[in-house]
Amino acid sequence: MLKSLKDFLYVIIGLIVTIMVAIDVWYLYIVFVAPEKVISTTFEVGIQELKDADNTQFYFMEVELWDNAFEVKFNYMLDENQTDNFSQGLQYIYDDELIFGFTHNDITCELDSDRTSGILGWKKEYYNCQNSCALTGTNFYNYMSYDDYSTSLKSTNPIDLDTVFKIQIGDELYGMKFKGTDTPKDNNTLIAKDVRIYHNIWTKDKFHSEYYIYDVNYLVYNLYQSVKSLPAGTNKAVVFEFGNLFNYYEYDENTKQYTEKCSIDKAEKLTIDVKSYYSIKVKVNEGNLQKATDSLFNSYLGNTGYNETGDITTDDYFVGRTIKDLTWRDFDFIKVDDNNYALKLKEDFINNFEQYSSKLYLSVCINKDELNNIDINFVGFTSDNGLNNFNIYECYTIETIGNEIIKTNVNYQEVLYV
């Protein structure tokens, strides 16, 4: 019995060893003998067309440039029926130039290789750490609309790495999303190589290389760099090449599923050559964006009534003047006692908008329900609240009492604290 068990174990061990040797031989064959293959795929994204009665057509992307603003609009299919579309828009407002910075993304760090060197045998570890393209010194808004911005809303589902755009490529429906953490690590995306992040001679040195993440800000940055070289008055469709910026998923009408294109067997020696060509509607304007109605989104700085020009087109006193909506998020909290707080207008708001105070009217709405949720009791405004620097159209609180929302006017000049 014991001999039979030993024989059985010898057979199992022999099979395991044989399989491991076979895997090693197969791997070495791929590395040193198998020919390298190149997969070349081209995606061309042009005019989109709804399957509605009018065969409505539109561009997947539109961009507009002013001296102080850059806008990027994404129009895509609402669902797989392709009978209606939806839109998300990005608006960047700045003083002189759209500036980008970088935010380190620790989550995407991964061990690339390690080696032992030095007389003490300490390790040098190399990491690939990707950095996400981020904005600095810029006012940014993400809008959405179901009716081409006749109704312009701030997005409830902002564009991020999980966003999937439903678009047509040829006659087929695809899902498209930014590569994100799948971004290739090569010289095209390299920011910095072998940056020391930790040092202890008795243990190890740690290094990492930093790469861009292919996300929506990376796309906007490259679009901006290209479009700003075009002359004012440009208003036409332009074809842009984006390379391997996106992942694509082909939709199967029968299974109702999306399948990734260009997915590969990592056990093969493959090089992927992906090209993406997008036909984008581009308009370059002269001067500054000054009115919400001139925007792709009928909004400026989140305000659909913005009009810096001060033009008055009717006898209604407030028509033609800008009314900007403010909430408690536009104020700093000044503690009075316990959980009682007074509000003071943020310095950033004053610095950005005081120059327009002669044309700007503020509508201040303090939602007491929201403040109660964060254990803050609103008791009024500070004596130096900053509101005196502006024209106040209205100032009020709202709160839910019973089943009703109660609106109460507040005199910001009489209710003074601190």
Side-chain angles (χ1 to χ4, degrees):
M1 179 67 179
L2 185 59
K3 182 178 181 182
S4 299
L5 181 59
K6 288 183 177 180
D7 291 342
F8 176 75
L9 291 175
Y10 288 148
V11 170
I12 295 299
I13 293 172
L15 287 174
I16 294 174
V17 171
T18 301
I19 292 171
M20 292 178 64
V21 171
I23 292 173
D24 290 340
V25 171
W26 172 62
Y27 175 77
L28 293 173
Y29 169 80
I30 290 174
V31 173
F32 296 106
V33 180
E36 183 170 334
K37 300 177 183 178
V38 177
I39 296 178
S40 181
T41 304
T42 301
F43 297 95
E44 298 178 10
V45 180
I47 296 290
Q48 308 289 291
E49 183 173 289
L50 294 181
K51 295 181 179 179
D52 60 2
D54 301 323
N55 294 322
T56 305
Q57 294 185 335
F58 55 91
Y59 289 93
F60 166 58
M61 292 178 63
E62 302 175 48
V63 301
E64 284 207 33
L65 175 68
W66 290 264
D67 291 345
N68 68 330
F70 188 56
E71 297 184 333
V72 182
K73 181 181 175 186
F74 299 90
N75 307 300
Y76 49 96
M77 298 298 167
L78 180 67
D79 55 32
E80 285 72 22
N81 294 323
Q82 304 176 62
T83 56
D84 208 348
N85 66 337
F86 198 79
S87 180
Q88 292 237 36
L90 307 178
Q91 183 182 71
Y92 305 82
I93 307 295
Y94 43 88
D95 291 328
D96 300 313
E97 188 175 7
L98 179 56
I99 301 173
F100 286 82
F102 306 99
T103 301
H104 186 68
N105 189 343
D106 291 314
I107 297 175
T108 60
C109 289
E110 61 183 33
L111 182 64
D112 183 65
S113 64
D114 66 340
R115 67 185 183 194
T116 301
S117 61
I119 58 174
L120 297 178
W122 41 270
K123 285 185 177 180
K124 289 185 177 180
E125 296 184 338
Y126 293 84
Y127 284 75
N128 283 326
C129 297
Q130 299 175 333
N131 283 42
S132 180
C133 197
L135 296 170
T136 58
T138 301
N139 291 302
F140 167 69
Y141 294 86
N142 190 162
Y143 302 101
M144 68 178 184
S145 180
Y146 61 89
D147 57 6
D148 200 24
Y149 298 94
S150 293
T151 305
S152 185
L153 303 169
K154 293 180 183 178
S155 179
T156 55
N157 187 27
I159 296 173
D160 58 22
L161 295 181
D162 294 322
T163 300
V164 177
F165 299 103
K166 296 179 175 66
I167 61 175
Q168 294 168 338
I169 301 179
D171 297 327
E172 303 299 326
L173 181 66
Y174 282 76
M176 181 275 282
K177 65 186 297 187
F178 295 100
K179 295 194 77 70
T181 54
D182 291 334
T183 299
K185 302 179 183 68
D186 53 32
N187 289 332
N188 294 324
T189 57
L190 182 65
I191 300 173
K193 186 176 179 62
D194 294 350
V195 180
R196 176 176 289 178
I197 58 176
Y198 176 83
H199 175 69
N200 185 329
I201 194 171
W202 300 109
T203 55
K204 64 182 75 173
D205 272 353
K206 291 185 179 179
F207 294 79
H208 69 222
S209 298
E210 297 178 351
Y211 297 84
Y212 294 106
I213 282 181
Y214 284 166
D215 62 0
V216 68
N217 285 319
Y218 184 86
L219 170 66
V220 170
Y221 170 77
N222 282 281
L223 280 173
Y224 175 72
Q225 295 300 319
S226 295
V227 171
K228 73 178 185 179
S229 65
L230 297 175
T234 299
N235 189 6
K236 63 180 180 179
V238 179
V239 176
F240 292 83
E241 180 183 336
F242 292 125
N244 195 14
L245 186 59
F246 313 106
N247 287 333
Y248 295 93
Y249 306 84
E250 187 173 14
Y251 180 67
D252 189 317
E253 180 67 33
N254 296 320
T255 64
K256 309 299 182 184
Q257 293 181 339
Y258 288 90
T259 304
E260 185 175 2
K261 297 289 289 185
C262 296
S263 59
I264 63 171
D265 182 352
K266 295 183 179 179
E268 297 185 59
K269 290 174 66 176
L270 297 176
T271 300
I272 300 180
D273 178 30
V274 178
K275 295 290 189 297
S276 298
Y277 296 93
Y278 282 69
S279 181
I280 300 174
K281 186 178 179 182
V282 176
K283 184 177 180 181
V284 180
N285 302 278
E286 187 173 2
N288 287 344
L289 174 60
Q290 295 180 300
K291 295 188 297 183
T293 52
D294 290 338
S295 161
L296 277 173
F297 316 119
N298 284 316
S299 187
Y300 181 91
L301 291 172
N303 187 351
T304 56
Y306 195 93
N307 182 358
E308 187 182 314
T309 65
D311 294 336
I312 302 175
T313 56
T314 76
D315 293 332
D316 188 330
Y317 183 75
F318 286 104
V319 172
R321 286 174 166 82
T322 298
I323 299 177
K324 182 166 180 59
D325 297 321
L326 270 65
T327 71
W328 57 265
R329 293 179 175 83
D330 297 297
F331 295 83
D332 290 323
F333 294 106
I334 307 300
K335 189 171 184 178
V336 178
D337 55 56
D338 297 329
N339 66 333
N340 296 320
Y341 290 83
L343 300 185
K344 179 180 180 180
L345 201 56
K346 289 184 176 180
E347 287 296 328
D348 286 347
F349 183 92
I350 296 174
N351 293 336
N352 289 332
F353 291 98
E354 191 171 19
Q355 59 184 314
Y356 310 122
S357 60
S358 63
K359 305 170 185 176
L360 191 65
Y361 288 78
L362 304 185
S363 173
V364 182
C365 174
I366 307 301
N367 190 320
K368 296 180 74 173
D369 292 334
E370 294 179 351
L371 292 179
N372 288 335
N373 288 336
I374 55 176
D375 199 29
I376 287 178
N377 181 40
F378 167 70
V379 294
F381 298 91
T382 65
S383 57
D384 58 343
N385 56 60
L387 294 175
N388 289 308
N389 299 338
F390 298 90
N391 300 302
I392 306 302
Y393 173 54
E394 58 183 347
C395 182
Y396 62 95
T397 64
I398 58 173
E399 62 180 320
T400 303
I401 300 178
N403 295 321
E404 295 186 31
I405 297 178
I406 305 300
K407 176 180 177 180
T408 304
N409 291 325
V410 177
N411 188 333
Y412 68 93
Q413 294 177 318
E414 289 183 358
V415 186
L416 304 178
Y417 291 87
V418 185

